[in-house]
Amino acid sequence: MYSPAAKSLYNGKMPAVQLFITCLIDSFYPHVGEAIVDVFRRLGVDVDFPRDQTCCGQPNFNAGLREEARPIAQHTIRTFEAAPGDVVIPSGSCAHMLRHNYAELFADDPHWLGRARALAARTYEFSEYLVDKLGVTDVGACWDGPLTYHATCHLHRGIGVDRQPRTLLAHVRGAEVRPLPEEFDCCGFGGIFSIEHPELSAEFLKRKIRNLESTQSPTLVVADTGCLMHIAGGLHRQQKTQRVVHIAEVLNNI
């Protein structure tokens, strides 16, 4: 459960969070979103889902299409301004977009820059929110067998979240968390990078899969669904037996 300090802070009633589900989870991995809601509800946290949410604008931003990204970012800001709760995102890359790239988008627009900074101040990645805001390190999860963890680029380098998912995994009963060689190396996805540089992306992916195989773990855990989709696709094409799961799926296994 959440820590006594967090309970005291909110007078025993945890506030509702606003879940920003992200495009990939909405379109390809809805069960990850359901797992996140289940974890929060077990902790006594209500979850709101603003129905007007869309893409955060990251694909446009990363492609250099800043003018096209701005109206998408403005829509996101307006959507999440409608309720006061913290915004929780199960993706390091989308969290990085809201927390850092929106400020760059609106650097020359004081009105929108202020609104972007206000949203950034209450935006958290999922594991970060559990550990740093709620004081939760053990959600009562269990897992039978080995796991290994891939530190995704935007999560680790972009917003500095690394200790939090590892702490949560360390408290999963029955799990043997094995170190992944070259764990901080990119998997090759990088959003538009994998489209613009497919040959490089494929080589990065091959190396990531080789490192996964060296752990002899049947399961790779990530906290970003772009990496999940990319690595899982490589495993499928190579006819490997390992699988890739989002950390929320592990934390919801009770």
Side-chain angles (χ1 to χ4, degrees):
M1 295 298 288
Y2 49 86
S3 70
K7 184 176 181 180
S8 174
L9 179 62
Y10 296 108
N11 297 317
K13 172 62 176 176
M14 300 305 296
V17 299
Q18 296 188 78
L19 178 60
F20 191 167
I21 200 58
T22 79
C23 298
L24 291 183
I25 291 179
D26 180 53
S27 299
F28 300 107
Y29 304 102
H31 61 281
V32 173
E34 294 169 357
I36 291 164
V37 173
D38 288 345
V39 170
F40 274 133
R41 285 178 174 169
R42 289 206 313 272
L43 296 173
V45 179
D46 292 330
V47 180
D48 290 334
F49 181 81
R51 293 186 178 274
D52 288 338
Q53 63 180 282
T54 60
C55 177
C56 65
Q58 182 185 171
N60 303 75
F61 181 87
N62 289 346
L65 303 174
R66 304 301 167 87
E67 290 302 319
E68 290 79 0
R70 287 189 185 96
I72 303 173
Q74 289 168 343
H75 175 78
T76 298
I77 292 170
R78 284 193 295 264
T79 298
F80 285 92
E81 282 177 338
D86 291 325
V87 178
V88 176
I89 306 179
S91 163
S93 61
C94 296
H96 182 271
M97 181 68 185
L98 268 66
R99 279 171 42 171
H100 298 290
N101 297 148
Y102 276 15
E104 183 177 339
L105 270 179
F106 300 115
D108 298 324
D109 186 334
H111 172 71
W112 281 102
L113 179 59
R115 295 170 73 172
R117 285 175 172 168
L119 177 60
R122 59 189 181 95
T123 296
Y124 299 84
E125 182 272 333
F126 174 58
S127 68
E128 177 188 30
Y129 191 78
L130 291 176
V131 175
D132 292 351
K133 191 65 182 285
L134 300 187
V136 172
T137 57
D138 186 346
V139 299
C142 59
W143 193 269
D144 184 16
L147 298 169
T148 190
Y149 173 71
H150 164 56
T152 61
C153 297
H154 274 99
L155 187 68
H156 171 63
R157 298 185 181 93
I159 61 174
V161 172
D162 186 58
R163 166 186 55 85
Q164 298 89 332
R166 296 178 192 277
T167 299
L168 290 163
L169 291 174
H171 286 85
V172 174
R173 292 165 182 79
E176 177 196 349
V177 183
R178 297 178 178 176
L180 178 69
E182 300 177 314
E183 59 185 337
F184 296 116
D185 285 3
C186 179
C187 70
F189 179 59
I192 198 169
F193 173 84
S194 61
I195 298 172
E196 293 183 336
H197 304 284
E199 296 85 2
L200 284 174
S201 174
E203 291 304 313
F204 289 168
L205 178 59
K206 289 177 185 177
R207 183 169 63 185
K208 185 61 64 176
I209 290 175
R210 285 197 301 268
N211 285 328
L212 168 59
E213 288 184 303
S214 74
T215 70
Q216 297 186 336
S217 169
T219 306
L220 176 68
V221 182
V222 299
D224 216 315
T225 41
C227 301
L228 190 161
M229 184 170 63
H230 187 62
I231 301 171
L235 290 168
H236 175 73
R237 289 189 296 274
Q238 295 184 32
Q239 298 183 333
K240 305 292 185 181
T241 60
Q242 295 90 340
R243 63 173 179 151
V244 190
V245 300
H246 192 279
I247 190 172
E249 298 177 76
V250 176
L251 300 181
N252 194 42
N253 196 69
I254 57 174

